[in-house]
């Protein structure tokens, strides 16, 4: 059953939609925390190296794989891996390209709903005031309690959050809004929202940057102190694997690579579309929004008020403390602070929603392309799944962090490696079949390693609107895959052993949930292939 796939309406709409996909909570919340927690200027060097050696090549890989699939009527890695590998196992590896965004969006949407709550409470001026004091803990306490109240942290129970009804309702509104946009479709929903939200995000961010740059603290620090923290390079940290892992992890998260979500967006390209320039442009817009805008708001304001050591302390205390506590606490003590707080959280909400719809779309594409479901039926299944699953991060302490570690940080590096291998090493093999005949295994491997990337390069440059410098041929073919393997090995040695036992008992429930989703994915893929090709091919 071949159904007509959707397409983006215009090129500018497409760029805004992909920029909306990439620009999210990662740019404005996660980046400042990662940068502060890893030494500011020390973080930025590995960060930029990772952008060039991993970010750009992987962006191109996902765009090219997505276009390849879209041209053949498919929008997820499940089908794309199947088409390229021609091996029955490939489609099961491709499941990660649906599962990763699907699990991440379960908690991403919840955090997004907090930003809506915060902007609402700032709008009606129902936020705490906070004493101007030198002690950071006292300064942040009212907002610490405020966040605790919203998520229901202070119930005394170690196992459960007990959020108030408002929190639950705001979450439902957020989820329904997401589902409604998805339900409207790629062009009339996602693209239209991006055209409206992206300019607003930039305007709000620029207003906030101007406000932060005109702040001075009681003891005389100003924005130059904040910028100095981020932009004074510190080369000593290049030796520290922890900083490299954090930098590469941030590049993955912020560019949305290794999720399969860029792949799905690229599958809705019109025929004969460029991916080289589109990919580079959307990645660059994201980096501007991250280091220039994202780097100039929360972290800069915090350094002005709390100094570098104070900012690092705040960032180390929790991933949400800079954006949800330090910044609103600072705003609470400036004129029209409630208005700036409102802008900040509305900015986060818009950035969040254009990303969460991107995280949902791979599952939609899977249900539509591989099961031939109509869009409204697919939305119903997706909505039911997300509604039920979201109770895990909403009510179980520790579950959100566990999901974020295994799926939102770890799994995507592995999946990215499979994407690169598929594109650079497997795609070209059929064309090499003549050269490969009657060769020993070793020389076969050598021929593939040497010649397969040429076909990937050709695929990437098909219909390209720019000429990609040749150096990226080598980066894409050899450096990026090696870099990924090194990162994974480092992970296995330095980080994984400590993670085997979850920090919290609820970690086990989160893990069971991940396992359940994976099994569900395997069953669905098997079913759909049986349906399409009969029993013999699985
Ligand atoms: N890149 C988004 C951010 O910075 C997160 C995201 C990842 C969105 C993958 C969609 C897909 O917040
Ligand atoms: Na981003």
């Amino acid at each position: 059953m071949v159904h007509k796939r959707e397409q983006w309406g215009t090129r500018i709409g497409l760029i805004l939609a992909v920029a909306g996909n990439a620009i999210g909570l990662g740019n404005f919340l996660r980046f400042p925390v990662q940068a502060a927690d890893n030494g500011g200027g020390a973080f930025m060097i590995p960060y930029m190296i990772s952008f060039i050696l991993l970010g750009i090549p992987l962006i191109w890989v996902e765009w090219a794989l997505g276009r390849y699939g879209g041209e053949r009527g498919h929008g997820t890695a499940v089908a794309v891996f199947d088409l390229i590998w021609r091996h029955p196992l490939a489609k099961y590896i491709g499941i990660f390209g649906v599962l990763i965004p699907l699990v991440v969006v379960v908690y991403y949407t919840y955090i997004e709903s907090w930003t809506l709550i915060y902007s609402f409470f700032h709008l009606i001026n129902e936020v705490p005031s906070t004493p101007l004091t030198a002690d950071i803990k006292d300064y942040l306490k009212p907002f610490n309690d405020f966040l605790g109240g919203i998520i229901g942290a202070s119930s005394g129970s170690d196992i459960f959050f007990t959020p108030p009804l408002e929190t639950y309702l705001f979450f439902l509104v957020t989820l329904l809004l997401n589902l409604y946009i998805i339900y409207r479709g790629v062009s009339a929903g996602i693209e239209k929202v991006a055209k409206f939200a992206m300019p607003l995000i930039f305007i709000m961010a620029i207003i906030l940057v101007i406000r932060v740059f005109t702040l001075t603290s009681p003891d005389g620090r100003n924005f130059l102190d904040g910028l100095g923290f981020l932009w004074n390079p510190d080369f000593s940290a290049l030796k520290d694997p922890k900083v490299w892992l954090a930098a590469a992890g941030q590049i993955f998260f912020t560019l949305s690579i290794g999720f399969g979500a860029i792949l799905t967006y690229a599958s809705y390209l019109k025929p004969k579309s460029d991916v080289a320039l589109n990919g580079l442009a959307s990645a660059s817009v994201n980096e501007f929004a991250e280091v220039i805008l994202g780097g100039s708001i929360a972290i800069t304001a915090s350094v002005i008020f709390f100094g570098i050591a104070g900012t690092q302390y705040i960032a180390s205390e929790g991933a949400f403390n800079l954006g949800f506590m330090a910044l609103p606490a600072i705003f609470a003590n400036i004129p029209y602070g409630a208005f700036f707080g409102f802008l900040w959280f509305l900015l986060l909400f818009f950035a969040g929603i254009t990303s969460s719809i991107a995280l949902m779309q791979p599952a939609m594409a899977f249900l539509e392309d591989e099961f031939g479901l109509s869009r409204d039926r697919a939305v119903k299944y997706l909505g039911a799944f997300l509604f039920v699953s979201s109770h895990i991060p909403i009510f179980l302490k520790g579950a959100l962090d566990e999901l974020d570690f295994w799926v939102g940080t770890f799994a995507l590096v592995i999946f990215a490696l499979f994407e690169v291998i598929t594109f650079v090493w497997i795609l070209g093999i059929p064309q090499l079949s003549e050269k490969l005949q009657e060769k020993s295994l070793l020389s076969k491997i050598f021929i593939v390693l040497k010649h397969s990337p040429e076909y990937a390069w050709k695929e990437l440059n098909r219909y390209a609107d720019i000429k990609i410098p040749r150096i990226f041929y080598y980066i894409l073919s050899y450096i990026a895959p090696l870099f990924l393997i090194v990162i994974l090995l480092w992970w296995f040695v330095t980080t994984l052993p400590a993670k085997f036992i979850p920090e919290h008992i609820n970690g086990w429930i989160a893990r069971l949930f991940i396992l359940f989703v994976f099994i569900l994915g395997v069953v669905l893929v098997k079913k759909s292939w049986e349906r399409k090709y009969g029993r013999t091919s699985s």
Side-chain angles (χ1 to χ4, degrees):
M1 187 194 325
V2 182
H3 68 111
K4 179 133 180 32
R5 295 191 84 246
E6 297 178 78
Q7 285 180 359
W8 300 108
T10 61
R11 184 163 194 178
I12 181 72
L14 152 75
I15 298 262
L16 289 176
V18 184
N21 176 335
I23 298 173
L25 303 177
N27 300 52
F28 298 100
L29 287 178
R30 196 178 190 278
F31 172 76
V33 172
Q34 292 294 325
D37 211 15
N38 289 284
F43 178 77
M44 292 310 285
I45 301 164
Y47 177 85
M48 284 187 227
I49 295 175
S50 302
F51 175 63
I52 291 172
L53 298 186
L54 274 180
I56 293 179
L58 274 161
I59 273 280
W60 278 330
V61 168
E62 277 217 16
W63 274 83
L65 288 175
R67 177 179 64 181
Y68 182 96
E71 287 168 343
R72 290 156 182 80
H74 299 278
T76 62
V78 178
V80 172
F81 282 17
D82 187 58
L83 287 164
I84 294 179
W85 288 57
R86 304 176 190 188
H87 187 283
L89 271 184
K91 56 182 175 294
Y92 297 108
I93 298 175
I95 291 175
F96 284 100
V98 179
L99 181 153
I100 293 173
L102 187 62
V103 171
V104 169
V105 84
V106 169
Y107 61 85
Y108 198 95
T109 317
Y110 184 42
I111 300 167
E112 187 182 310
S113 76
W114 305 347
T115 68
L116 190 61
I117 301 178
Y118 268 75
S119 60
F120 175 75
F121 280 110
H122 276 90
L123 185 68
I124 61 170
N125 214 347
E126 284 289 323
V127 281
S129 58
T130 184
L132 266 173
T133 122
D135 186 83
I136 295 179
K137 270 216 172 105
D138 290 340
Y139 203 124
L140 299 189
K141 182 159 191 315
F143 278 90
N144 193 1
D145 295 345
F146 188 66
L147 180 63
I150 284 172
I151 64 176
S154 42
S155 62
S157 161
D158 270 350
I159 306 286
F160 296 110
F161 290 116
T162 46
L165 186 63
E166 290 119 77
T167 302
Y168 197 72
L169 293 180
F170 269 100
F171 169 70
L172 287 184
V173 169
T174 306
L175 180 61
L176 285 174
L177 204 56
N178 272 278
L179 292 170
Y180 177 69
I181 297 168
I182 296 282
Y183 160 76
R184 293 302 309 270
V186 167
S187 176
I190 297 174
E191 185 173 344
K192 205 168 158 201
V193 167
K195 278 185 176 160
F196 163 79
M198 295 316 288
L200 273 179
I201 289 175
F202 278 91
I203 293 171
M204 291 190 282
I206 288 168
I207 295 175
L208 286 161
V209 170
I210 294 173
R211 179 64 271 230
V212 168
F213 278 19
T214 47
L215 285 175
T216 40
S217 71
D219 35 3
R221 272 187 305 269
N222 67 17
F223 74 102
L224 290 173
D225 297 281
L227 293 185
F229 176 48
L230 209 52
W231 296 107
N232 278 335
D234 168 4
F235 293 92
S236 67
L238 289 178
K239 296 188 300 286
D240 187 354
K242 177 181 162 268
V243 178
W244 277 94
L245 292 179
Q250 177 61 20
I251 283 296
F252 272 93
F253 193 88
T254 191
L255 290 172
S256 310
I257 48 186
F259 288 79
I262 297 282
L263 188 158
T264 296
Y265 270 30
S267 77
Y268 300 112
L269 284 167
K270 291 193 171 128
K272 307 200 173 161
S273 287
D274 147 282
V275 295
L277 178 59
N278 279 334
L280 187 64
S282 54
S284 311
V285 175
N286 178 70
E287 286 317 295
F288 174 78
E290 178 140 305
V291 298
I292 305 296
L293 301 177
S296 300
I297 304 175
I299 197 169
T300 307
S302 175
V303 172
I304 296 173
F305 269 76
F306 305 116
I308 289 176
T311 300
Q312 288 182 302
Y313 163 75
I314 296 169
S316 72
E317 283 286 281
F320 302 119
N321 296 16
L322 221 44
F324 282 101
M325 295 178 201
L327 201 57
I330 292 168
F331 286 156
N333 283 318
I334 65 171
Y336 305 106
F339 169 72
F340 291 107
F342 167 70
L343 269 193
W344 166 243
F345 289 106
L346 195 65
L347 159 71
L348 291 181
F349 180 69
F350 279 156
I353 198 163
T354 51
S355 290
S356 52
I357 53 182
L359 288 160
M360 292 179 190
Q361 192 60 26
M364 289 292 294
F366 176 71
L367 293 175
E368 291 177 76
D369 298 340
E370 311 313 329
F371 276 94
L373 287 192
S374 66
R375 202 160 62 219
D376 47 339
R377 282 190 68 198
V379 169
K380 278 183 201 143
Y381 286 121
L382 175 70
F385 171 86
L386 291 178
F387 171 69
V388 173
S389 314
S390 60
H391 289 78
I392 295 174
I394 294 179
F395 290 106
L396 298 182
K397 286 190 175 170
L400 194 158
D401 289 338
E402 190 79 5
L403 296 177
D404 186 50
F405 176 75
W406 289 106
V407 182
T409 314
F410 181 60
L412 48 93
V413 184
I414 298 193
F415 180 63
L417 184 59
F418 276 110
E419 289 185 309
V420 182
I421 291 174
T422 303
F423 187 64
V424 178
W425 305 115
I426 316 273
L427 185 70
I429 289 181
Q431 279 102 320
L432 292 171
S433 59
E434 228 167 82
K435 277 192 192 153
L436 293 174
Q437 258 165 34
E438 287 163 31
K439 294 276 169 31
S440 71
L441 183 63
L442 214 66
S443 45
K444 272 185 186 163
I445 291 176
F446 182 76
I447 292 171
V448 169
L449 287 186
K450 182 151 192 299
H451 293 291
S452 191
E454 288 160 18
Y455 297 94
W457 188 247
K458 235 192 237 152
E459 177 66 21
L460 171 61
N461 285 288
R462 198 155 50 89
Y463 310 124
D465 287 333
I466 44 166
K467 189 150 175 30
I468 305 178
R470 185 74 187 168
I471 177 142
F472 274 102
Y473 174 82
Y474 299 98
I475 295 181
L476 173 67
S477 310
Y478 303 102
I479 298 180
L482 252 179
F483 197 157
L484 277 172
I485 291 170
V486 171
I487 288 182
L488 276 172
L489 290 179
W490 250 346
W491 267 90
F492 277 112
V493 177
T494 61
T495 315
L496 275 198
K499 293 278 182 181
F500 277 124
I501 308 289
E503 264 167 52
H504 196 288
I505 182 87
N506 285 337
W508 291 109
I509 296 182
R511 290 177 189 196
L512 273 180
F513 170 67
I514 295 169
L515 186 69
F516 164 77
V517 179
F518 183 71
I519 293 172
L520 181 70
V522 169
V523 170
L524 289 180
V525 168
K526 198 160 169 355
K527 273 222 155 83
S528 74
W529 256 252
E530 280 171 5
R531 226 174 112 257
K532 283 188 292 189
Y533 309 105
R535 293 200 163 267
T536 45
S537 74
S538 74

